Amino acid sequence: MSVDKDKITDLAVQRWATAHSPRVAELMTALVRHLHAFAREVELTEDEWMAAIEWLTAAGRMSDDKRQELILSSDVLGLSMLVVQLNNRFSPQATPATVLGPFHIDGSPAVAYGFDMSDGIPGTPLFITGKVTDTHGSPVAHAVLDAWQADADGAYESQLPDIDEARLRAKYRTREDGTYCIRTIAPRGYAIPMDGPVGRLVRATDISHFRPPHVHFLIEEPGYERLITHLFQEGGEYLDSDVVFGVEDALVVRFDACPAGAAPDGSVLAEPYLHAAYDFVLQPR
Ligand code: BEZ
Ligand code: FE
């Protein structure tokens, strides 16, 4: 039986509807419908289709356990942030989630209140302090705050060769009263990796390839939804053009400039520093 272009979509949908799992059937039939509609809408040429296949092949070849070009493509298309928003519909009081990004490393060392996770790496000292609470304002004790960030050159640990100690990442725990204190250095805005197929595509547009200055957090405590989020520096560059669409107003925080002297961790600093105060609010399960 010949398959003409008016029948092919229905036929492909019927075939994929036979998937043994109802969810796989739902996903695959919708995917077929949307892909076919896309090809029809833009009248996809064979050369364009082959260029797309070559692009996907290059993105796959470039990806490994340190570099994930396909996640990066999902990030710059806004798909990663959309999936975060669809899956983390917290109450309005809870701290919003944002993208995980490709640079989280499992197994960061557990450290004490006020520990300096920058450990001598050059930069302006930054303290981030506050509480972790539930949506009623009650403190959450012993919650784990896994924090990570780029250095002042915009490099994450996994982008640097031969690092054998945790660099700008650590796991803090809240105290009995829910308080935490992180010492680090001020993050800077940085460019996403531009040396692969995603970079080639982004360079063919007017899209800014920068992310605004931020520190990442993954906060976990039994009984609460896991919170993957960032804190962004108020007034930082690229807040209005984040290439991965990760900025939420509720995550933009003032980094107050403080003179040398008494610091939030109880120590005395010989140089001026920045201080960001932020209370994270976890969504009960
Ligand atoms: C990040 O914030 O680390 C990040 C997120 C998405 C793409 C690239 C980097
Ligand atoms: Fe980041």
Side-chain angles (χ1 to χ4, degrees):
M1 189 182 81
S2 62
V3 177
D4 65 37
K5 82 170 182 6
D6 298 323
K7 288 200 202 123
I8 190 163
T9 301
D10 286 345
L11 199 58
V13 165
Q14 280 164 25
R15 279 194 195 162
W16 284 98
T18 66
H20 302 165
S21 143
R23 180 62 176 158
V24 174
E26 185 181 2
L27 293 170
M28 292 309 297
T29 55
L31 183 65
V32 166
R33 277 191 277 106
H34 286 277
L35 282 175
H36 286 217
F38 166 77
R40 285 199 172 89
E41 181 184 323
V42 301
E43 299 223 22
L44 192 64
T45 68
E46 285 169 298
D47 284 351
E48 288 161 347
W49 174 80
M50 186 46 82
I53 299 285
E54 283 167 359
W55 188 92
L56 285 165
T57 306
R61 288 213 173 108
M62 190 160 210
S63 300
D64 57 24
D65 57 347
K66 292 225 157 142
R67 177 75 187 255
Q68 239 303 347
E69 198 71 2
L70 289 163
I71 293 184
L72 192 60
S73 63
S74 159
D75 295 339
V76 300
L77 292 172
L79 180 61
S80 305
M81 190 58 183
L82 174 61
V83 173
V84 166
Q85 289 171 330
L86 290 173
N87 285 275
N88 295 270
R89 297 186 206 217
F90 299 157
S91 62
Q93 302 94 301
T95 301
T98 187
V99 288
L100 174 66
F103 300 121
H104 178 254
I105 297 179
D106 280 331
S108 284
V111 300
Y113 183 90
F115 177 81
D116 181 1
M117 71 174 187
S118 69
D119 193 25
I121 297 168
T124 305
L126 166 68
F127 289 89
I128 308 174
T129 65
K131 259 188 182 180
V132 177
T133 74
D134 65 16
T135 44
H136 302 291
S138 304
V140 178
H142 314 301
V144 176
L145 283 92
D146 186 350
W148 71 103
Q149 70 172 86
D151 65 18
D153 295 325
Y156 282 86
E157 180 187 313
S158 63
Q159 295 176 293
L160 299 171
D162 305 326
I163 304 282
D164 42 34
E165 284 209 334
R167 187 175 191 274
L168 284 169
R169 61 185 176 93
K171 274 186 185 167
Y172 295 81
R173 246 181 211 280
T174 55
R175 302 193 290 192
E176 287 303 322
D177 60 355
T179 55
Y180 70 90
C181 175
I182 294 169
R183 181 174 169 175
T184 181
I185 50 169
R188 300 266 298 269
Y190 61 83
I192 55 163
M194 290 292 286
D195 55 343
V198 171
R200 252 193 290 130
L201 209 50
V202 169
R203 278 191 214 288
T205 71
D206 289 338
I207 296 171
S208 153
H209 55 279
F210 290 92
R211 295 219 64 207
H214 60 273
V215 178
H216 292 255
F217 293 89
L218 192 165
I219 305 181
E220 285 185 294
E221 172 63 15
Y224 298 90
E225 297 294 343
R226 184 171 80 148
L227 175 63
I228 294 173
T229 197
H230 304 356
L231 294 183
F232 295 93
Q233 179 175 14
E234 190 181 281
E237 275 186 296
Y238 317 115
L239 276 172
D240 292 327
S241 59
D242 183 7
V243 60
V244 305
F245 308 91
V247 179
E248 294 261 358
D249 289 344
L251 301 175
V252 179
V253 189
R254 232 177 40 236
F255 284 21
D256 288 319
C258 305
D265 63 345
S267 66
V268 174
L269 252 68
E271 58 183 320
Y273 62 89
L274 295 169
H275 179 204
Y278 192 82
D279 293 341
F280 291 98
V281 181
L282 300 185
Q283 173 74 39
R285 273 244 161 90

